Amino acid sequence: MTQRFFTYTKGYRIAFAVLCMCIVMCGLSLGFDYAWAATPQKPKAANPGAKAGHVQRITPQIPKSNRYQKDKVFLENSDILTADDRISTEYQVLKGNVRFRRGDMYMFCDSAYFYDLTSSLDAFGNVKMTQGDTLFVYADVMHYYGDEQVAQLRNNVRLENRKTTLITDSLDYEITSNVGYYFEGGKLIDGKNNTELTSRYGRYELDTKQAEFTTDVRLVNEKYTMETNLLQYNTGTHIARIIDQTSIESDGNTVLTTSGWYNTSADDATLYDRSVINSKDGKTLVGDTVYYNRQLNYGEARGNVVITDAKNSVILDGEYGYHDENTHYSYVTNRARAREFSQKDTIYLHADTLCTLLDVDSVRLLRAFNKVRFYRNDVQGICDSLQMSAADTILNMYRHAVLWSDDRQISGNEINAHMNDSTCDWATLPNFGFMAQHVGETYYDQLSAKKIKAFFEKKELRQMDCDGNVQVIMYPQEEDSTYNKQVNAESSYLKLNLKAKQEIEKIAMWPDVSGKVSPLFLLKKSEQFLPGFAWYDALRPKHPDEIFDVSDEMKKLMSEPEKTGRRSKKE
């Protein structure tokens, strides 16, 4: 009896030992080590994971099992697996070299709670997700929800997608759509373009390379800084879409806009909705649509364009504008207008094209080309082209130039007029000049010469110096303020001095003077005017808005040959 009991007991022990060895060997072959808790305690999971009424124990998967089941997470490896129904029926506790697989995505960590029934898990320590050789995600903690296929990564999160890196402490990553969200501050680094974007909230699509940033958005690279509260950026094209109030600063330049596109690799932008460029040379460019190239340092605008040069007291506006920071050159066209306000009164100027530039002495010049018209309270004018210097406020008028002041008209091939705060100080006509003043009915005082210089005081003519081929027609006023005779004279030189109210104080003509005095009733119509006389009052701008009124008569005048003042053979 004793022998049988010993034999039976010995056989039982041998069988039990063999069974345990088989279990251990099976576990080692699959990379598992089963350890049962001696004292049952419920572990504290960082996140409960997916909800489930009951989760079955993990069963080893043989190598030929299908590891590509849709949305299924498989446990590939763990040094230690702890499971006890007295602790939990929802998850297993895994420790050491933990590795999961979902399709072609692998997830690694130091330890985890695994919810096999819902393919969910909580991962801790050295968390890593990989997909092929393009996606690498790192974090301290990850909660993966199998039902929603969302991975929540927390603390020291870093997502690497080729040359793009996303850094944050809180990232929710949608596995199926390959979209990541952060909501406690983050940074996107576009390594290919040396650009960093930071914001409080962000969204990044790995497939399209499209990112959207909101709240305290800041885009920085070595060339400029962009700040806004809402911005879209593509790491493939390196193009930023601006959809909120945005400022872009670089090398002393500032761009203000609410809508547009900025190509960060090419350093150019197309902006809309009255965007503003403040350049480092003090100029401001505004337009409905603005194109700006930071590499070449120029901008152009279309639609209600305004270029302001506050330093030199000039504003240009039109339908198209251009500004080059390198050459300090700006111009506008299409209903172009310049407003020069360095003096007491503003000059309003119109031409087909208006531009500002620096001369060789770095003096700011304002130039106007084709069908020029300008207005100031005390003086108005027209010509084919014009230049104004900021240094001395001199108007240089060229080709068919006409200048009006009160009832006086000065015309010539070229007029140079000096403007001060209240009036025109002086004017020179170096290449034929003609002065006319309406004195009553059809009568005009007239003077022409090769060269004329006139001096003014309080808007009144005070002195005239004439040189070469001087011709004069005057209608002296009688004591009863009537006109009854004409004085017609010619000489080589003339000097005229006038008192207040345009009374002649002194007139001198030399060396040889010829002429005659004729009663008005004996004058023929043709004898009332000097050669080249024309009264252009119909072309005169009488209001700032009339600078745009370029009539057919003015166009015809600008197309005619320049005058010489000599009588034709027919005359």
Side-chain angles (χ1 to χ4, degrees):
M1 185 68 179
T2 302
Q3 180 68 30
R4 287 181 179 179
F5 177 79
F6 176 79
T7 303
Y8 176 78
T9 302
K10 182 178 181 181
Y12 175 80
R13 290 175 177 175
I14 293 172
F16 181 78
V18 171
L19 178 60
C20 290
M21 184 174 293
C22 290
I23 292 173
V24 171
M25 294 300 291
C26 181
L28 291 174
S29 65
L30 292 174
F32 302 135
D33 184 9
Y34 292 79
W36 304 94
T39 304
Q41 291 183 358
K42 187 175 182 180
K44 297 180 180 179
N47 190 295
K51 302 290 185 181
H54 175 70
V55 178
Q56 296 180 348
R57 306 271 62 76
I58 299 174
T59 57
Q61 300 290 323
I62 60 176
K64 65 180 181 180
S65 295
N66 179 12
R67 298 297 182 102
Y68 290 93
Q69 297 179 38
K70 181 176 176 58
D71 307 330
K72 178 68 175 175
V73 174
F74 292 92
L75 175 62
E76 292 273 315
N77 186 81
S78 178
D79 292 345
I80 299 174
L81 184 150
T82 302
D84 192 329
D85 289 343
R86 292 172 297 178
I87 299 175
S88 174
T89 61
E90 293 185 349
Y91 59 83
Q92 312 296 317
V93 181
L94 313 175
K95 295 181 180 180
N97 297 314
V98 182
R99 182 174 74 248
F100 298 95
R101 180 174 182 177
R102 178 193 175 280
D104 59 351
M105 176 176 285
Y106 291 88
M107 294 174 277
F108 306 84
C109 62
D110 292 339
S111 61
Y113 298 108
F114 182 39
Y115 305 81
D116 181 50
L117 189 62
T118 59
S119 288
S120 301
L121 59 97
D122 301 322
F124 312 95
N126 296 309
V127 177
K128 179 181 177 181
M129 295 173 58
T130 66
Q131 189 169 22
D133 60 352
T134 61
L135 177 64
F136 301 89
V137 185
Y138 307 88
D140 292 343
V141 178
M142 178 180 72
H143 309 296
Y144 176 73
Y145 301 93
D147 292 344
E148 300 175 7
Q149 299 182 55
V150 173
Q152 292 182 340
L153 299 111
R154 300 293 182 266
N155 302 332
N156 301 313
V157 182
R158 188 172 78 257
L159 182 152
E160 298 178 357
N161 181 220
R162 299 187 185 277
K163 293 289 186 180
T164 302
T165 301
L166 176 60
I167 300 173
T168 183
D169 275 333
S170 298
L171 178 70
D172 288 357
Y173 178 59
E174 296 179 351
I175 304 297
T176 54
S177 61
N178 281 335
V179 177
Y181 303 84
Y182 65 82
F183 41 86
E184 293 183 357
K187 177 191 293 185
L188 182 72
I189 303 173
D190 183 356
K192 191 173 181 180
N193 197 37
N194 296 321
T195 299
E196 292 185 1
L197 296 103
T198 57
S199 66
R200 186 175 301 178
Y201 307 100
R203 179 178 185 273
Y204 181 56
E205 300 177 1
L206 277 72
D207 294 339
T208 63
K209 313 295 183 185
Q210 189 71 19
E212 183 172 286
F213 307 89
T214 57
T215 310
D216 300 330
V217 184
R218 185 179 174 87
L219 184 154
V220 179
N221 64 22
E222 59 185 5
K223 303 170 184 176
Y224 56 87
T225 299
M226 182 184 300
E227 293 183 346
T228 183
N229 275 318
L230 183 58
L231 182 71
Q232 294 178 352
Y233 180 80
N234 191 288
T235 59
T237 62
H238 314 298
I239 293 176
R241 182 188 176 192
I242 299 167
I243 45 183
D244 195 20
Q245 182 67 51
T246 302
S247 68
I248 308 169
E249 295 188 9
S250 62
D251 298 334
N253 301 325
T254 302
V255 177
L256 302 175
T257 182
T258 59
S259 176
W261 303 88
Y262 198 110
N263 189 324
T264 61
S265 58
D267 269 351
D268 59 27
T270 301
L271 311 171
Y272 309 103
D273 298 340
R274 306 301 295 164
S275 297
V276 180
I277 299 177
N278 297 311
S279 64
K280 59 186 175 183
D281 62 3
K283 287 192 176 182
T284 299
L285 173 64
V286 184
D288 291 343
T289 301
V290 176
Y291 173 80
Y292 176 67
N293 189 298
R294 201 207 66 84
Q295 284 187 343
L296 301 178
N297 285 325
Y298 81 89
E300 54 184 331
R302 289 177 171 82
N304 299 314
V305 178
V306 180
I307 300 177
T308 302
D309 184 356
K311 182 179 179 181
N312 294 286
S313 305
V314 176
I315 299 175
L316 304 179
D317 54 76
E319 290 302 309
Y320 174 83
Y322 173 92
H323 175 57
D324 190 324
E325 296 172 13
N326 298 319
T327 60
H328 306 284
Y329 175 76
S330 303
Y331 75 90
V332 294
T333 61
N334 299 335
R335 200 171 172 79
R337 178 180 64 172
R339 285 167 285 174
E340 205 281 342
F341 50 93
S342 63
Q343 306 295 327
K344 182 177 179 180
D345 291 330
T346 300
I347 297 177
Y348 299 86
L349 174 67
H350 165 70
D352 287 351
T353 302
L354 296 168
C355 67
T356 65
L357 67 157
L358 296 179
D359 65 9
V360 293
D361 298 319
S362 297
V363 174
R364 176 66 61 182
L365 301 177
L366 169 64
R367 288 179 176 172
F369 301 98
N370 299 327
K371 298 182 285 294
V372 179
R373 294 171 62 82
F374 68 88
Y375 174 91
R376 200 174 85 164
N377 287 331
D378 61 301
V379 63
Q380 302 83 42
I382 64 172
C383 58
D384 185 65
S385 59
L386 175 147
Q387 175 174 286
M388 179 185 291
S389 170
D392 46 23
T393 319
I394 294 180
L395 284 176
N396 304 113
M397 305 169 62
Y398 304 101
R399 186 175 171 81
H400 298 298
V402 183
L403 193 69
W404 292 274
S405 180
D406 288 339
D407 59 354
R408 188 179 303 105
Q409 172 185 292
I410 302 174
S411 59
N413 298 324
E414 178 182 341
I415 299 176
N416 305 306
H418 180 262
M419 316 294 291
N420 67 11
D421 282 343
S422 58
T423 187
C424 174
D425 278 346
W426 52 261
T428 62
L429 294 86
N431 181 21
F432 174 70
F434 201 113
M435 181 175 290
Q437 183 173 4
H438 186 226
V439 295
E441 298 183 9
T442 60
Y443 305 121
Y444 298 85
D445 285 343
Q446 303 158 55
L447 182 149
S448 70
K450 283 186 176 181
K451 297 179 182 180
I452 297 176
K453 187 165 187 178
F455 300 89
F456 302 89
E457 182 178 324
K458 296 180 180 180
K459 299 183 181 182
E460 290 188 344
L461 180 64
R462 283 290 182 265
Q463 180 178 323
M464 288 187 62
D465 298 326
C466 303
D467 183 354
N469 294 337
V470 178
Q471 299 179 12
V472 177
I473 286 181
M474 297 183 64
Y475 297 88
Q477 191 176 48
E478 305 299 329
E479 292 183 358
D480 59 358
S481 300
T482 62
Y483 300 93
N484 57 31
K485 60 180 176 289
Q486 179 202 72
V487 177
N488 189 323
E490 295 185 13
S491 67
S492 297
Y493 303 96
L494 177 144
K495 187 177 184 67
L496 174 67
N497 295 96
L498 297 102
K499 296 184 294 185
K501 298 182 180 180
Q502 303 297 280
E503 295 182 10
I504 297 177
E505 179 180 22
K506 179 180 179 181
I507 182 170
M509 302 178 69
W510 73 94
D512 298 318
V513 181
S514 61
K516 61 180 180 179
V517 177
S518 305
L520 295 185
F521 67 89
L522 294 178
L523 284 178
K524 297 179 181 178
K525 187 71 174 178
S526 59
E527 295 176 330
Q528 294 182 14
F529 306 104
L530 292 176
F533 170 84
W535 190 246
Y536 298 113
D537 191 64
L539 307 182
R540 182 179 186 176
K542 299 177 177 63
H543 187 273
D545 292 339
E546 292 187 9
I547 60 174
F548 297 105
D549 299 339
V550 180
S551 64
D552 291 338
E553 184 180 353
M554 179 175 169
K555 293 178 183 178
K556 180 181 178 182
L557 172 63
M558 296 302 154
S559 65
E560 293 176 356
E562 292 183 321
K563 296 180 179 180
T564 63
R566 296 178 181 177
R567 297 180 184 272
S568 65
K569 292 181 178 179
K570 291 183 180 180
E571 295 176 322

